[in-house]
């Protein structure tokens, strides 16, 4: 490939990367993470607009099936946000979530998804900034990984 | 073909996470790591993680094979072609599935026995 062609290819890839609008699903627990997301919003912290939030009463409410179905339907990345360990409103819900996410990371690799497409993060009600940083980082990670394998990506 | 296999693996994963074995293991971590099982055997945290990952990997393969055998009788060679699981592993899985009465031998294709999935507990009314 000539340097011009290589440059053209890079430019095309750049355009494709720029055009790629990841579909990210964020599960937030009602007591901590959703309040953290709300705080990020009212604090007017800038976040990429590619994520959709689903509020659940506890991060343990996120059944592994929800995650697998979302990937099956074409989600590019899924973020599960819950209370910090030992802060769970339901005592031990987030410990269960941690076990499930570890298992799901293994399972999604079995059908060709990168394990980084699924992320678990602890965000408390006062951590609006952390929520914003997590969203920005996760969106960048997904943009680097490209579209979901369901849509022909890697 | 690749797309079909991926879809099949996603469906098998869904069955795996809904399955008794994986759900039981996920729910029992506290007891297994602190007080131990019914024999008083305590499992360390890292060991527990290995057990869960291994159980899930085995269940995933078995569910993948079961899905194929639900569509009709299959030989080990056909199962290998469709799922890419090594043949010795398929034989081990079929022995386990036969033990649990989830598959049965229904005939022969050439010199290879054909296996078919039996209705699971959920489908029995």
């Amino acid at each position: 490939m000539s340097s011009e062609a290589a440059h053209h290819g890079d430019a095309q890839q750049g355009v494709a990367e720029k055009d790629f609008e990841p579909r990210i699903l964020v599960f937030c627990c009602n007591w901590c993470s959703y309040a953290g997301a709300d705080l990020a919003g009212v604090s007017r912290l800038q976040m990429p607009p590619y994520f959709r939030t689903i509020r659940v009463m506890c991060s343990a409410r996120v059944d592994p099936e929800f995650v697998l179905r979302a990937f099956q339907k074409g989600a590019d990345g899924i973020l599960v946000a819950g209370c910090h360990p030992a802060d769970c409103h339901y005592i031990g819900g987030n410990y269960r979530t941690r076990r499930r996410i570890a298992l799901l990371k293994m399972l999604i690799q079995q059908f060709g998804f990168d394990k980084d497409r699924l992320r678990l993060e602890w965000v408390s009600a006062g951590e609006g900034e952390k929520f914003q940083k997590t969203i920005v980082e996760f969106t960048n990670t997904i943009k680097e990984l490209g579209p979901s394998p369901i849509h022909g990506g890697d | 073909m690749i797309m079909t296999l991926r879809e099949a693996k996603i469906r098998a994963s869904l069955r795996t996470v809904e399955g008794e074995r994986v759900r039981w293991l996920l729910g029992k971590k506290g007891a297994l790591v602190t007080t131990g099982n019914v024999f008083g055997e305590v499992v360390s945290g890292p060991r527990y993680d290995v057990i869960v990952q291994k159980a899930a990997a085995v269940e995933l393969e078995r569910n993948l094979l079961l899905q194929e055998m639900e569509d009709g009788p299959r030989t080990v060679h056909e199962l290998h072609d469709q799922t890419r699981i090594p043949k010795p592993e398929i034989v081990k899985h079929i022995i386990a599935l036969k033990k649990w009465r989830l598959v049965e031998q229904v005939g022969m294709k050439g010199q290879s026995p054909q296996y078919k999935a039996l209705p699971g507990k959920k489908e029995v009314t």
Side-chain angles (χ1 to χ4, degrees), chain A residues 50-122:
Chain A
Y50 306 123
F51 69 98
R52 297 288 179 275
T53 307
I54 295 178
R55 176 163 60 166
V56 286
M57 289 308 285
C58 178
S59 56
R61 178 67 185 85
V62 182
D63 195 288
E65 189 185 341
F66 298 172
V67 174
L68 293 171
R69 289 255 184 241
F71 279 128
Q72 190 181 26
K73 303 274 181 194
D76 297 305
I78 298 172
L79 173 70
V80 180
C83 307
H84 283 272
D87 277 351
C88 179
H89 188 80
Y90 303 101
I91 315 298
N94 45 10
Y95 294 117
R96 287 171 187 271
T97 310
R98 187 158 61 185
R99 275 177 244 157
R100 287 175 192 165
I101 298 295
L103 177 73
L104 281 166
K105 276 181 181 267
M106 185 279 279
L107 283 176
I108 63 171
Q109 286 179 85
Q110 298 289 320
F111 47 83
F113 280 67
D114 194 293
K115 66 179 169 56
D116 292 338
R117 288 188 185 276
L118 176 63
R119 184 166 167 182
L120 172 66
E121 199 65 51
W122 309 129

Side-chain angles (χ1 to χ4, degrees), chain B residues 96-110:
Chain B
L97 292 170
K98 272 178 85 175
K99 187 179 153 190
W100 290 101
R101 296 178 184 226
L102 291 169
V103 298
E104 66 173 2
Q105 189 182 333
V106 288
M108 298 288 285
K109 191 175 184 182

Side-chain angles (χ1 to χ4, degrees), chain A residues 2 4 9 11-12 18 22 28 35 38-39 46 48 60 86 95 102 110 130:
Chain A
S2 69
E4 195 183 332
Q12 268 190 334
K18 200 180 170 187
C28 285
D38 194 31
L39 180 63
Q46 294 298 304
Y95 294 117
Q110 298 289 320
K130 184 179 179 185

Side-chain angles (χ1 to χ4, degrees), chain A residues 63-66 68-69 71-72 96 99-100 102-104 106-108 110-113 149-151 153, chain B residues 3 6-7 9-11 13-14 16-18 22 25-30 48 52-54 56-57 60:
Chain A
D63 195 288
E65 189 185 341
F66 298 172
L68 293 171
R69 289 255 184 241
F71 279 128
Q72 190 181 26
R96 287 171 187 271
R99 275 177 244 157
R100 287 175 192 165
L103 177 73
L104 281 166
M106 185 279 279
L107 283 176
I108 63 171
Q110 298 289 320
F111 47 83
F113 280 67
I150 295 285
H151 296 302
Chain B
M3 189 64 190
R6 177 173 288 128
E7 276 294 317
K9 281 190 173 181
I10 294 175
R11 282 192 283 128
S13 300
L14 281 163
T16 302
V17 295
E18 285 168 8
V22 169
L25 272 171
L26 283 176
K28 287 281 180 184
K29 186 184 181 182
Y48 167 84
V52 173
Q53 300 273 325
K54 202 173 170 183
L60 180 68

